[in-house]
Amino acid sequence: MRFAHTFLIPAAFIAQSIAATQLYAAPKSKSAGEAGVLRVNATVQEFSSLKPWIKRAPVTLRGIGAVLSPNRVLISAMQVANRTYVELERAEDGAKCSATVEVIDYFANLALLRPDKEGFLAPIQPVRLAEPAKIDDLLDVIQLEPGGTLVSSPGRVTGYEVGSYRVPTSAFLLCRITLPLQYREGSFSLPVFDEKGALAGLSLRYDNRSQTMDLIPPAIIAHFLKDAEEGAYEGFPRVGLSFDSLRDPMLRRHTGAPSGDRGVFVSSVLPRSPALEAGIKPGDVLLKAGAFEIDADGNFNHPNYGELAIAHIFSTEHQSGEKLPITLLRDGKELVLDVRVLPRQAEDWAIPPFRFDNPPPYLIVGGLVFVELGRFYLNEWGSASEREAPIDLLYLDRFQDDLIPAGQRIVLLSHVLPTPDTVGYEGLQQLRLLRCNGMDIGNLSDLASALDKPVDGFHRFETDGDPRSVVLDASRIEAIATEVARRYRIPEMRRLP
Amino acid sequence: MRLPGFLLLVSAALIGVGSAAPAQNAIERAMVRIATVSYEPDYRNPWSAGSTTSGVGAGFVIAGNRIMTNAHVVSNAGLITVEREGDPRRYVATPLFTAHDCDLALLSVEDERFFEGMTALEFGGLPALESTVLAFGYPVGGQRLSVTRGVVSRIDFQTYSHSGVDSHLAVQIDAAINPGNSGGPVIQDGKVVGVAFQGYSGDVAQNVGYMIPVPVVERFLRDISDGQYDRYVDLAIGYFRLLNPAQRKSLGLEDDGLGILVTDVFAEASADGQLKIGDVLMAIDGYPITAAGFVEIDGDLVEMPEIVERKVKGETIALSLLRNGKPMAVSFPLKGIWPMSMNANIYGRELSFLVYGGLVFQPLSKAVMAAHEIKDIRVRYFFEKFIERQLYSKFPEVIVLTQILPDPVNTDLQGLLHGIVESVDGQPVTTLASMAALLDGKRESHIIRFLGSGRPLVLETAAVKEAKDRIRDNYGLTLEERVLPPEKF
């Protein structure tokens, strides 16, 4: 098992050579302050999922943020994930100031920073958000020379689509531009401007082979900012249904959908979802979402972006808590249901898609290391985790909504720290814990409670699959803890959620 | 002939060696060159006959005018011919018994002249560690009989790569056993002490060869003595070594280093209804079982399943155990674990499949996974956990939509590829046969549902019928279905 730093490497610049290429001269010699940008340096420290009591070595990620009024800096969320220190740096004079993350959304990969010093941003002209760029428009990607000189590289907009962002399960509108971009240090994320100098996006990723950059477009930034302005940040909502194409004429006839190419087949409605709440059922034919007609592939025609996947309507056309009218065909009759769209936070997943900023909980008892299963744990198998990670865990993760009851987590016996008391248990790993001392275990806190009640002087752990039962002598727990702490230098035996 | 990468195959003719010692002349008079024409099944085109390949292997004559060789030499063979030294004729041979689980086969030759002047070899015992053996065969590129001298370097359980799932005793020799020794005898003191069968490709390990030792050969001969090969039997349990003092104490066990914990009892197999999860097995056929899962036989510690290994189907096993702390004894007849075939290399069976509306359905198997490069997590789970999760109880066969032969009738169905069939018209599908029976075309349309998918697959009978001839002709389907029952044993 090895660890992959997948989300710490700026995707934009993996293995890019620093070949001396012709520098692109900025058309207008604006300063960084006039353009509304400054450096953001974030020192981050990831938590180890396998050894959750340790933080990995710190790494500094440098990017460029855009200054927003009043007194805020917009930056990619991934740059400040697991931050230990965030600092703003003015390009012109090199002045620095620590900053606090005020709002962060890992799904949309956006964060708002507030400088810790009043007036630090005063010399910098705040930016405003651009109107949606059209296909073929030229946008300027901003980088900074080491001396602070602003370099802008023009790229042409080639299209829009709903595509994956930086964390699992995230899919939002993204704008694709094509441009050759030279490697420069400090390019973890870059602001992009239109010809009027308005903020046209933040870079999401850059592929240097195809020379394409995906941008977080103004629509996503605007949704994020509006949410942030309205008090407690809620996040991008969702509807919580999955659908299949209704192109197949035999399925169309079966569902009673009119011939043509309208509508998709609702194949499932997620538990605890807005769609379920609103009364949408599997088997319904979804014809319209809001004002938009949905075609048989689940796309609609957006006035600004052209053909887009329906997910954009669900996540971005409305703020959390708003009502989205959905037109369905059920039993041959049309009906309209109002769906109150709401976000699904990472912790609402039984197996969370990510965990940043909060150290992973764990509990070590008698040398047995227990953790809660998350996508981050599976990431320990590296970029090929879909092939390499244990198939039962992948299966649980993929079908968690069907397999795991509401409100439960998967508690895993992750591995065993060998001591003389764990003889015979050394090889146990990645076993799902079902019960401890006769109590059902739905999370690590349950386990902690169960450990208060040993049965007949033993702690009995019941696992899903071989060996089914692992037993510890309750009277030995403290002695083993001392032993484990000494041998493996573990400061604390537990960190509960 | 489809062979795993490191099985050995003879590819040279038998020619006597002048310098061979007199004892070796007797061995030469027992040696047989086996030539085969075999078909390689094509799981992507299960209706086709598959391609044919020719191969050459070795064998030797044993008592009763039978030729012993490796199963992999004669697997999937359409024609087997045998030759002997000094005789230009080729004789047609037929397999009497093929044991894929221990890579052994016996052939007969109808023409009695073949055995005239041939010497039947006799079997010795298990060679001692560090003792010298001679492997007879015809390594790649050579035309003459090769005798390789080697030292027995390890006697241990090994996976037999022919089936890929069976582990039996195997003897490791430190001599180069190369492709060309397969099926040939390994001799010590003029007697057969093993049948050369597998090695490693050079990039894994060099000068390491394996032979099937006499206990495995004798078990095979005993199994077939009733006229049919019944395969290996298994206790079909999962067990955990009771090495942890706290665990032993909680089970009320003494600190005597004995006993293993039953953690699984597999349905439909030997111990089903006899043992329970949580039982502590103390002795097997009177041999005490150590906490590490070993028993002592004739002064040697061997793994507990070795006791079962030596038995044939129907023979009983006796177990002493503790259930809820109380001593008990059970005995029951042994049988095989048929769901093992999910993960095994399968030979000598025609391919089961069903084409309906250009949709190809096949029972999941190792070969199907590989041929269609299936990565779907649900299918992988069903494949890898078929036995462990006892998925076979509900799905004796896992029917997968493996291919869509594009046609107007199915153009918008790609999203269903690699789905596992759950039901047809609301009736559960548990085997390809049950699916075929349900898809009778007697309804206006059939509705197939896939596990975990809310989207039904609707197939209008009229449209399927209209497409039938077109798909058959376009794709050269010589056969539209071959529905075989799952092989249970």
mmCIF file of all heavy atoms in Angstrom, chain B residues 9-27:
data_model
loop_
_atom_site.group_PDB
_atom_site.id
_atom_site.type_symbol
_atom_site.label_atom_id
_atom_site.label_comp_id
_atom_site.label_asym_id
_atom_site.label_seq_id
_atom_site.Cartn_x
_atom_site.Cartn_y
_atom_site.Cartn_z
ATOM 1 N N LEU B 9 5.691 -27.600 -21.747
ATOM 2 C CA LEU B 9 5.223 -28.420 -22.847
ATOM 3 C C LEU B 9 6.409 -29.032 -23.563
ATOM 4 O O LEU B 9 7.396 -28.367 -23.826
ATOM 5 C CB LEU B 9 4.457 -27.560 -23.853
ATOM 6 C CG LEU B 9 2.948 -27.656 -23.783
ATOM 7 C CD1 LEU B 9 2.361 -26.979 -24.986
ATOM 8 C CD2 LEU B 9 2.497 -29.101 -23.716
ATOM 9 N N VAL B 10 6.262 -30.284 -23.894
ATOM 10 C CA VAL B 10 7.312 -30.934 -24.668
ATOM 11 C C VAL B 10 7.135 -30.557 -26.124
ATOM 12 O O VAL B 10 6.033 -30.493 -26.625
ATOM 13 C CB VAL B 10 7.209 -32.453 -24.503
ATOM 14 C CG1 VAL B 10 8.121 -33.161 -25.484
ATOM 15 C CG2 VAL B 10 7.570 -32.819 -23.083
ATOM 16 N N SER B 11 8.209 -30.268 -26.804
ATOM 17 C CA SER B 11 8.065 -29.917 -28.207
ATOM 18 C C SER B 11 9.150 -30.587 -29.046
ATOM 19 O O SER B 11 9.588 -30.072 -30.035
ATOM 20 C CB SER B 11 8.148 -28.413 -28.368
ATOM 21 O OG SER B 11 9.419 -27.987 -27.937
ATOM 22 N N ALA B 12 9.633 -31.702 -28.634
ATOM 23 C CA ALA B 12 10.666 -32.362 -29.421
ATOM 24 C C ALA B 12 10.355 -33.854 -29.518
ATOM 25 O O ALA B 12 9.576 -34.397 -28.748
ATOM 26 C CB ALA B 12 12.023 -32.168 -28.763
ATOM 27 N N ALA B 13 10.962 -34.474 -30.477
ATOM 28 C CA ALA B 13 10.696 -35.896 -30.705
ATOM 29 C C ALA B 13 11.547 -36.748 -29.775
ATOM 30 O O ALA B 13 12.580 -36.337 -29.289
ATOM 31 C CB ALA B 13 11.004 -36.251 -32.143
ATOM 32 N N LEU B 14 11.058 -37.965 -29.574
ATOM 33 C CA LEU B 14 11.779 -38.901 -28.718
ATOM 34 C C LEU B 14 12.860 -39.603 -29.528
ATOM 35 O O LEU B 14 12.604 -40.208 -30.545
ATOM 36 C CB LEU B 14 10.803 -39.943 -28.166
ATOM 37 C CG LEU B 14 11.414 -41.183 -27.556
ATOM 38 C CD1 LEU B 14 12.194 -40.842 -26.300
ATOM 39 C CD2 LEU B 14 10.340 -42.202 -27.253
ATOM 40 N N ILE B 15 14.065 -39.478 -29.084
ATOM 41 C CA ILE B 15 15.158 -40.217 -29.699
ATOM 42 C C ILE B 15 16.003 -40.768 -28.567
ATOM 43 O O ILE B 15 16.312 -40.055 -27.618
ATOM 44 C CB ILE B 15 16.016 -39.299 -30.609
ATOM 45 C CG1 ILE B 15 15.192 -38.898 -31.832
ATOM 46 C CG2 ILE B 15 17.281 -40.011 -31.042
ATOM 47 C CD1 ILE B 15 15.867 -37.925 -32.736
ATOM 48 N N GLY B 16 16.343 -42.001 -28.664
ATOM 49 C CA GLY B 16 17.095 -42.637 -27.585
ATOM 50 C C GLY B 16 18.470 -42.013 -27.433
ATOM 51 O O GLY B 16 19.030 -41.458 -28.362
ATOM 52 N N VAL B 17 18.997 -42.139 -26.268
ATOM 53 C CA VAL B 17 20.322 -41.596 -26.000
ATOM 54 C C VAL B 17 21.253 -42.761 -25.758
ATOM 55 O O VAL B 17 21.034 -43.562 -24.863
ATOM 56 C CB VAL B 17 20.289 -40.667 -24.775
ATOM 57 C CG1 VAL B 17 21.669 -40.132 -24.480
ATOM 58 C CG2 VAL B 17 19.313 -39.531 -25.014
ATOM 59 N N GLY B 18 22.287 -42.844 -26.586
ATOM 60 C CA GLY B 18 23.198 -43.981 -26.509
ATOM 61 C C GLY B 18 23.880 -44.108 -25.177
ATOM 62 O O GLY B 18 24.109 -45.204 -24.683
ATOM 63 N N SER B 19 24.190 -42.997 -24.583
ATOM 64 C CA SER B 19 24.983 -43.040 -23.369
ATOM 65 C C SER B 19 24.149 -43.338 -22.130
ATOM 66 O O SER B 19 24.671 -43.415 -21.046
ATOM 67 C CB SER B 19 25.703 -41.711 -23.179
ATOM 68 O OG SER B 19 24.741 -40.699 -23.000
ATOM 69 N N ALA B 20 22.850 -43.447 -22.324
ATOM 70 C CA ALA B 20 22.018 -43.662 -21.148
ATOM 71 C C ALA B 20 22.361 -44.984 -20.488
ATOM 72 O O ALA B 20 22.655 -45.967 -21.137
ATOM 73 C CB ALA B 20 20.553 -43.647 -21.536
ATOM 74 N N ALA B 21 22.296 -44.960 -19.176
ATOM 75 C CA ALA B 21 22.589 -46.159 -18.410
ATOM 76 C C ALA B 21 21.521 -47.215 -18.684
ATOM 77 O O ALA B 21 20.434 -46.883 -19.133
ATOM 78 C CB ALA B 21 22.622 -45.804 -16.924
ATOM 79 N N PRO B 22 21.839 -48.508 -18.426
ATOM 80 C CA PRO B 22 20.869 -49.560 -18.692
ATOM 81 C C PRO B 22 19.525 -49.309 -18.025
ATOM 82 O O PRO B 22 18.469 -49.557 -18.604
ATOM 83 C CB PRO B 22 21.536 -50.821 -18.111
ATOM 84 C CG PRO B 22 22.990 -50.508 -18.070
ATOM 85 C CD PRO B 22 23.113 -49.038 -17.939
ATOM 86 N N ALA B 23 19.532 -48.794 -16.792
ATOM 87 C CA ALA B 23 18.277 -48.533 -16.095
ATOM 88 C C ALA B 23 17.439 -47.542 -16.880
ATOM 89 O O ALA B 23 16.218 -47.581 -16.865
ATOM 90 C CB ALA B 23 18.546 -48.006 -14.695
ATOM 91 N N GLN B 24 18.139 -46.663 -17.574
ATOM 92 C CA GLN B 24 17.405 -45.650 -18.317
ATOM 93 C C GLN B 24 16.760 -46.226 -19.568
ATOM 94 O O GLN B 24 15.803 -45.661 -20.088
ATOM 95 C CB GLN B 24 18.326 -44.490 -18.681
ATOM 96 C CG GLN B 24 18.676 -43.683 -17.427
ATOM 97 C CD GLN B 24 19.651 -42.568 -17.719
ATOM 98 O OE1 GLN B 24 19.924 -42.268 -18.879
ATOM 99 N NE2 GLN B 24 20.174 -41.966 -16.675
ATOM 100 N N ASN B 25 17.292 -47.348 -20.070
ATOM 101 C CA ASN B 25 16.662 -47.972 -21.229
ATOM 102 C C ASN B 25 15.237 -48.385 -20.915
ATOM 103 O O ASN B 25 14.346 -48.252 -21.747
ATOM 104 C CB ASN B 25 17.472 -49.188 -21.689
ATOM 105 C CG ASN B 25 18.782 -48.745 -22.330
ATOM 106 O OD1 ASN B 25 18.870 -47.634 -22.850
ATOM 107 N ND2 ASN B 25 19.790 -49.608 -22.258
ATOM 108 N N ALA B 26 15.039 -48.875 -19.694
ATOM 109 C CA ALA B 26 13.702 -49.274 -19.283
ATOM 110 C C ALA B 26 12.783 -48.060 -19.268
ATOM 111 O O ALA B 26 11.619 -48.151 -19.652
ATOM 112 C CB ALA B 26 13.745 -49.909 -17.899
ATOM 113 N N ILE B 27 13.345 -46.958 -18.854
ATOM 114 C CA ILE B 27 12.527 -45.745 -18.811
ATOM 115 C C ILE B 27 12.211 -45.274 -20.219
ATOM 116 O O ILE B 27 11.091 -44.902 -20.527
ATOM 117 C CB ILE B 27 13.243 -44.678 -17.968
ATOM 118 C CG1 ILE B 27 13.233 -45.141 -16.498
ATOM 119 C CG2 ILE B 27 12.569 -43.320 -18.091
ATOM 120 C CD1 ILE B 27 14.362 -44.639 -15.683
#
